[in-house]
Amino acid sequence: MGRKRLQESADGRPTVHTVAARAGVSIASASRVLNGVGGSPETIRKVREAAAEVGYVPNAIARSLQSQRTGLVALAVEDIGNPVYVEMMRAIESVVAASGRQLLVHATGGRIDNETALLRRLAHRYVDGMIVSPIRVTDDHLAALVDSPVPVVVVGQLPADAPVDNVRTDSRTGVGLAVDHLVAAGRRRIGFVNGPLDTVPGAARDAGFRSALARHGIALDERLVEIGDFRYAAGRAAAERLLARAEPDALVCANDLIAVGALHALLAAGRRVPDEVALVGMDDTELAQMTFPQLSSVSLGSAERGRRAAELLLQRIADASLPPRREQVAPSLAVRASSTTTPLFVPAPAEPAPAPRTPEVTA
Amino acid sequence: MGRKRLQESADGRPTVHTVAARAGVSIASASRVLNGVGGSPETIRKVREAAAEVGYVPNAIARSLQSQRTGLVALAVEDIGNPVYVEMMRAIESVVAASGRQLLVHATGGRIDNETALLRRLAHRYVDGMIVSPIRVTDDHLAALVDSPVPVVVVGQLPADAPVDNVRTDSRTGVGLAVDHLVAAGRRRIGFVNGPLDTVPGAARDAGFRSALARHGIALDERLVEIGDFRYAAGRAAAERLLARAEPDALVCANDLIAVGALHALLAAGRRVPDEVALVGMDDTELAQMTFPQLSSVSLGSAERGRRAAELLLQRIADASLPPRREQVAPSLAVRASSTTTPLFVPAPAEPAPAPRTPEVTA
DNA sequence: TTGTATGCGTTATCAG
DNA sequence: CTGATAACGCATACAA
């Protein structure tokens, strides 16, 4: 006869039945003891003993099918090599962990199909909810987001009427902060190294740069604008192209990875930073403090956005009927050595220095 | 009466029953059509239509309970901010994706309890297998690894007799490569900035450094050895401490993050790199090519280790009866500007230059 | 407290 | 090809 109700699972590992049989009790009693609810002292002893002997470990999948939850939350980002996502992830992780859940990260590689596939697969109940930070948003993508089977919070720009929880920043204004700072420092030939214009952040930053220059009455020289992608190598290459045909006295970069690439290009070309060319990155990641000189960078509050996104998600998991919410985090500028010309080898002034700063690289 | 067999799931979302009822067929037929096996043209049409109308999406948890697999593979690493794990992750991802599975990453933060908790939770059937790269290994930890409910592959050093699939490298030898290189370049006062000695990699690198110096007959000056952790900030601080009390003519760092920190410390202290102090990192990550000057670095084949680990895991998932396997990846040295003193401002020689190299930072 | 029986949503088996 | 039904492993309402 076919196995009717054996005591072990298909792959030979122990189940509640194994434990129950061994302890000489029903599976209900076994289950209760294993979950710490009820059971006479004697039963508890027997079950615990049996469980230990067979090395019982509960099947989380089965448990989830029953409880309708997995205790898992996912974060989908484009490029896990970008430190901005690391910061965001850390912030999310701490919130998620505090709720007794576990955070899983999935790198989509920026391929939209990949991201929608994720929503259509992983999200189909493997996780209790997910936070996704899409770099491009198509209608298809948006549709998948909207009728996701599990709660979703989007970090990043989204159409105004999209009924999805959303935490955003204003990178357009953020770029403006960088330009204002540089203009105030007397720079006029300000260059811009951006990522692809067909991405949401790329388009926003481009608009921000142009409007900021206009606001200051500076005519934009298109030779001072160059585009790569949002990674180091392309940023460096783009900066090299720009430097080969123009002479900026400042460079704004669409993120810190690009800025580090640009810094490399500048130093390799013999330009002194910040004396000849000031440099401002964006995202204000760890990376900005690793370079020499350290990078000024526009903070888009990635940790804060992550934290808020996690909170929104947990709230929605708890109550699916909540209306779609939208939160915004304001950008700010972290000024460091890469955009601050200071007198060198000059005795410290009697008044306290404006801010602790590492020495300049130039002599 | 209590709901006997409704057509929708507990949370009101459609199930096979919903679709079947709407299409006027049995759940068996519905399931078959939904899975693309069998079904008359008419049935297929009706079911597809019904599924589309109600927006049916299969419950992956239920499916997994039945199929005994999730199609998910997890990678557990200590610090996702360390680029070495990013490289490893990318390699693993490509192998895993090629098998039609999805990779999830979990950052343990190096806390052992966290990692064992992961094994005891997530691994309890939420994933088909996992790759874990522990930085510390206790007996407890090892035990959890050994009798993990799902296939596990460990990347990193493990006791010789541990019955666990294992991909390792020899960082001890790796440090030796760095020292050899520096000694050959005429450096004698070689310093070492390491991570914690109670970690597996920390201990191995320490041993490697000491034995390498001994091999060259160089007496170790303990003032030239400093310890932080494996991250940037601590690396920089450790290098600063070292530089405050000793005058190395070269620095070996236990990973690239530390090396970048050391580079910052050196430049901030006005030391010229590599002329006054040569610098060699370890892991040969992207980061090594981002700095100026670019970092020489000992490659521990992190991508290769990741790739192999993923292959081992997939094999074991396919056949659990495989004996424990152990693979080793040899270290190699990538020489870049940070450890190569070249004549500056000298006309290019008639013969081709030894290798394309970015200009030195010093003048 | 304990055991029986049923459901979680899906897939697989086995008659019809 | 189709439909009823039995698993998958666990949790729990209910009756004893």
Side-chain angles (χ1 to χ4, degrees), chain B:
Chain B
M1 75 181 210
R3 54 192 277 285
K4 192 83 184 90
R5 171 33 91 192
L6 248 46
Q7 284 113 354
E8 36 174 58
S9 78
D11 53 348
R13 300 184 358 82
T15 74
V16 225
H17 293 89
T18 324
V19 176
R22 184 161 192 124
V25 300
S26 70
I27 63 163
S29 288
S31 176
R32 276 188 289 256
V33 171
L34 263 12
N35 286 306
V37 296
S40 72
E42 176 61 3
T43 305
I44 293 181
R45 191 190 58 73
K46 286 189 298 187
V47 171
R48 290 243 172 90
E49 212 170 280
E53 284 171 8
V54 299
Y56 170 76
V57 35
N59 182 320
I61 291 284
R63 188 197 297 255
S64 292
L65 180 58
Q66 167 72 24
S67 65
Q68 305 281 15
R69 53 190 299 286
T70 63
L72 266 27
V73 165
L75 167 65
V77 299
E78 182 236 338
D79 172 22
I80 208 159
N82 188 334
V84 72
Y85 291 124
V86 173
E87 309 217 335
M88 192 173 287
M89 194 201 69
R90 290 204 174 112
I92 293 174
E93 210 273 335
S94 72
V95 175
V96 164
S99 81
R101 270 169 262 253
Q102 241 166 28
L103 179 67
L104 300 176
V105 182
H106 186 263
T108 61
R111 301 176 297 271
I112 293 204
D113 57 332
N114 202 329
E115 215 166 82
T116 52
L118 180 71
L119 260 49
R120 301 209 189 286
R121 272 181 98 198
L122 193 155
H124 290 359
R125 301 318 192 64
Y126 276 133
V127 296
D128 292 340
M130 59 187 313
I131 298 173
V132 30
S133 186
I135 190 175
R136 294 170 224 258
V137 177
T138 63
D139 289 347
D140 233 38
H141 198 182
L142 196 56
L145 245 25
V146 170
D147 53 49
S148 160
V150 300
V152 168
V153 175
V154 171
V155 176
Q157 231 63 30
L158 227 50
D161 57 339
V164 183
D165 287 330
N166 176 222
V167 180
R168 58 178 63 193
T169 181
D170 183 359
S171 59
R172 202 168 184 280
T173 298
V175 176
L177 293 180
V179 172
D180 293 351
H181 165 65
L182 292 169
V183 169
R187 313 283 174 161
R188 285 300 177 276
R189 298 194 49 75
I190 304 175
F192 183 43
V193 186
N194 197 6
L197 292 179
D198 65 345
T199 61
V200 176
R205 287 157 167 81
D206 185 71
F209 183 71
R210 290 169 191 276
S211 73
L213 280 195
R215 182 154 37 80
H216 287 287
I218 301 180
L220 174 60
D221 178 352
E222 291 292 347
R223 291 177 312 153
L224 286 172
V225 177
E226 188 54 70
I227 290 174
D229 63 27
F230 286 109
R231 290 169 297 181
Y232 167 83
R236 179 176 165 186
E240 282 166 355
R241 290 195 299 274
L242 194 156
L243 291 176
R245 66 163 184 252
E247 296 239 348
D249 60 9
L251 236 39
V252 175
C253 298
N255 74 12
D256 283 348
L257 279 172
I258 295 175
V260 173
L263 176 61
H264 201 125
L266 286 166
L267 296 179
R271 308 289 220 286
R272 290 174 303 154
V273 176
D275 301 79
E276 293 180 60
V277 182
L279 187 60
V280 179
M282 179 163 277
D283 281 341
D284 194 22
T285 60
E286 276 187 325
L287 210 52
Q289 309 195 36
M290 293 192 192
T291 61
F292 194 86
Q294 292 188 318
L295 279 179
S296 293
S297 191
V298 177
S299 167
L300 263 23
S302 45
E304 175 69 7
R305 279 182 292 157
R307 194 181 62 70
R308 293 219 210 162
E311 284 165 356
L312 287 186
L313 183 63
L314 293 183
Q315 290 165 13
R316 177 159 301 283
I317 288 175
D319 179 5
S321 71
L322 256 28
R325 293 150 299 164
R326 165 156 311 170
E327 299 199 355
Q328 180 129 7
V329 174
S332 62
L333 177 66
V335 177
R336 300 200 183 84
S338 74
S339 67
T340 326
T341 314
T342 51
L344 295 172
F345 299 125
V346 165
E351 54 192 322
R357 175 178 308 123
T358 56
E360 304 301 318
V361 68
T362 52

Side-chain angles (χ1 to χ4, degrees), chain A residues 25-179:
Chain A
V25 300
S26 71
I27 63 163
S29 289
S31 175
R32 277 188 287 257
V33 171
L34 263 12
N35 285 307
V37 295
S40 70
E42 176 61 4
T43 305
I44 293 181
R45 191 192 57 74
K46 286 190 297 188
V47 171
R48 290 243 172 91
E49 210 170 283
E53 284 171 8
V54 300
Y56 170 76
V57 35
N59 182 320
I61 291 286
R63 188 197 296 258
S64 292
L65 181 58
Q66 165 74 24
S67 64
Q68 304 280 19
R69 52 189 302 285
T70 63
L72 265 29
V73 164
L75 167 66
V77 298
E78 181 235 340
D79 173 21
I80 208 162
N82 188 335
V84 71
Y85 291 123
V86 174
E87 308 215 338
M88 192 174 288
M89 194 202 70
R90 290 205 174 110
I92 293 173
E93 211 273 334
S94 71
V95 175
V96 163
S99 82
R101 271 169 261 254
Q102 240 166 27
L103 179 68
L104 300 177
V105 181
H106 185 264
T108 61
R111 299 175 298 273
I112 294 205
D113 56 334
N114 202 329
E115 216 166 83
T116 53
L118 180 72
L119 259 49
R120 300 208 188 286
R121 275 181 93 199
L122 193 155
H124 290 1
R125 304 314 194 66
Y126 275 133
V127 296
D128 292 340
M130 60 187 310
I131 298 173
V132 28
S133 184
I135 189 173
R136 292 171 225 258
V137 177
T138 63
D139 289 347
D140 235 39
H141 199 182
L142 194 57
L145 244 25
V146 170
D147 52 51
S148 159
V150 300
V152 168
V153 175
V154 171
V155 176
Q157 230 64 29
L158 226 49
D161 56 340
V164 184
D165 286 331
N166 176 223
V167 180
R168 59 180 60 194
T169 181
D170 183 0
S171 60
R172 202 169 183 281
T173 298
V175 176
L177 293 180
V179 172

